[in-house]
Amino acid sequence: MNLNQLKYFVAVAEQQSFTKAATQYFISQTAITQQIHALETTVGLALIDRGTRPISLTPAGQIFLTEARAILKHMDTAVWRTREASTGLMGSLRVGFTKGYEQSGLPRRLREFHREYPNILITCYRNDTDALAAGLLNMEYDIIFTWDSTNIRQEDSLQIRLVEKVPLYVAMYTSHPLARRPSLAREELKGETILFMSPSGGGDSFGDAYYVQLYQKAGYQPNILMRTSDYESIMMMIAAEQAICIVPEYCIGKLRSVDNITFCPLRGEEETEEILAVWHEKNLSPALRHFVERLG
């Protein structure tokens, strides 16, 4: 069995004719008939019913056709990937990400991609979610990692993939009465002064409204002292014992050692932040295509 035999078999099956398949590959009908017969001998089964007009596949042939197409597709993929690896895929990849997400697994993703494609220049841009969405629509970024502050799912021109659901934590000063709890529910934060970590620069977005609704669902209106996307400033204010804040897990990795701040996980299925990878469907960049394939 060889690839030519698979190609000839697929052509015969699709054309329902030995003659038309032979014409497609510029060989004689006798040659293609011989190749199909050799293939059937190797498989040990008749794949083509020659007694029908036009010819048709046997039940075994129907199954083999699916597998043959898959093999040929995998072979084509292997060929172009090998060629790209040998010539060195070149280009650029512009990656935007929401503030704080530099502490997530994103650096590892970029590092692995760079090792595989060292000739692709990766440039990174840290911004508010609103600016990321606007920049993507204007083709200023190839891909962004963001949480939804603009109802970005409503944009038909964008492709969206959920990357992860990040658990939320309550950040508070160490002497806070709730600081020793193993976990907290949003209901237990009633009456607390809140520093609201907003995904957007304006502090009044689709994403903000979603999390305010979670407070309302818990039975109260949050007492918000300040809205900001600058989590470093938030941490300073918490350390000064002015308020508490709910933050995504990726923000706290490098902050656990900050003086006078502790973190407590927030209970509840809704207490997560969805990180989306978003790119424009009209962006035909090979670098982007390869990167998206590796998102999993």
Side-chain angles (χ1 to χ4, degrees), residues 148 152-155 158-162 276-279:
D148 195 355
I152 203 169
R153 290 181 172 90
Q154 300 301 310
E155 296 288 345
L158 300 181
Q159 299 292 312
I160 298 174
R161 183 174 300 178
L162 176 63
L276 309 175
V278 192
W279 63 96

Side-chain angles (χ1 to χ4, degrees), residues 50-230:
R50 295 164 175 79
T52 61
R53 291 292 179 271
I55 61 174
S56 60
L57 298 181
T58 64
Q62 291 284 357
I63 295 172
F64 193 79
L65 176 62
T66 300
E67 299 301 325
R69 282 171 170 162
I71 291 171
L72 293 173
K73 181 178 180 180
H74 287 316
M75 181 56 67
D76 288 341
T77 300
V79 169
W80 66 252
R81 283 185 174 174
T82 301
R83 287 173 177 170
E84 285 183 346
S86 64
T87 58
L89 182 64
M90 301 181 68
S92 65
L93 183 69
R94 301 164 298 170
V95 180
F97 59 93
T98 188
K99 290 181 177 180
Y101 200 58
E102 66 274 8
Q103 300 186 54
S104 67
L106 180 59
R108 174 187 53 79
R109 290 180 184 272
L110 298 179
R111 180 173 63 253
E112 291 174 352
F113 186 73
H114 174 65
R115 287 174 177 173
E116 187 170 1
Y117 297 103
N119 293 326
I120 293 178
L121 173 64
I122 303 174
T123 51
C124 299
Y125 305 88
R126 182 176 183 263
N127 218 327
D128 297 323
T129 54
D130 292 357
L132 290 173
L136 185 66
L137 289 169
N138 291 329
M139 305 293 278
E140 296 171 9
Y141 308 116
D142 293 304
I143 190 168
I144 61 174
F145 291 83
T146 184
W147 53 300
D148 195 355
S149 69
T150 61
N151 207 1
I152 203 169
R153 290 181 172 90
Q154 300 301 310
E155 296 288 345
D156 294 336
S157 62
L158 300 181
Q159 299 292 312
I160 298 174
R161 183 174 300 178
L162 176 63
V163 175
E164 60 177 322
K165 289 187 175 182
V166 182
L168 297 178
Y169 281 69
V170 181
M172 65 193 94
Y173 45 93
T174 54
S175 61
H176 193 283
L178 301 176
R180 296 183 180 275
R181 299 283 185 89
S183 65
L184 289 167
R186 196 174 289 258
E187 289 85 350
E188 297 175 88
L189 304 182
K190 183 177 181 180
E192 296 291 336
T193 302
I194 303 294
L195 297 168
F196 195 99
M197 185 172 175
S198 172
S200 64
D204 185 15
S205 69
F206 174 80
D208 293 320
Y210 172 79
Y211 287 104
V212 168
Q213 287 174 2
L214 290 185
Y215 282 108
Q216 294 169 343
K217 188 176 179 180
Y220 62 98
Q221 192 70 21
N223 177 25
I224 298 175
L225 176 64
M226 182 180 72
R227 296 175 186 248
T228 179
S229 60
D230 185 352

